[in-house]
């Protein structure tokens, strides 16, 4: 948990231009993580029930 607090402090201390750069990087990082999770869930069949429900509607 100490690592997270250190990261929070480091981010809070960033100047505006570096914070903007970090935000862009994190948005891309987070999007890639989300895409990977969706791919894993789709590949494992976790989303099959939702897909069937959507097609039935």
């Amino acid at each position: 948990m100490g690592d997270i607090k250190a990261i929070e402090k480091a981010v809070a201390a960033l100047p505006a231009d570096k914070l903007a750069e970090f935000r862009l990087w994190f948005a891309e990082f987070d999007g890639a993580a989300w895409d990977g999770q969706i791919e894993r869930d789709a590949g494992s069949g976790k989303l099959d029930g939702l897909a069937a429900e959507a097609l039935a509607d």
Side-chain angles (χ1 to χ4, degrees), residues 3-55:
D3 291 341
I4 293 172
K5 291 296 181 192
I7 292 167
E8 288 174 352
K9 286 182 181 180
V11 170
L14 290 173
D17 62 328
K18 295 298 180 182
L19 181 58
E21 187 178 331
F22 174 76
R23 282 181 166 152
L24 179 60
W25 172 84
F26 190 79
E28 292 172 359
F29 172 82
D30 197 39
W34 176 255
D35 289 346
Q37 183 64 53
I38 292 295
E39 288 178 22
R40 286 187 299 279
D41 288 350
S44 71
K46 280 186 173 181
L47 303 178
D48 290 353
L50 293 173
E53 185 179 332
L55 290 172

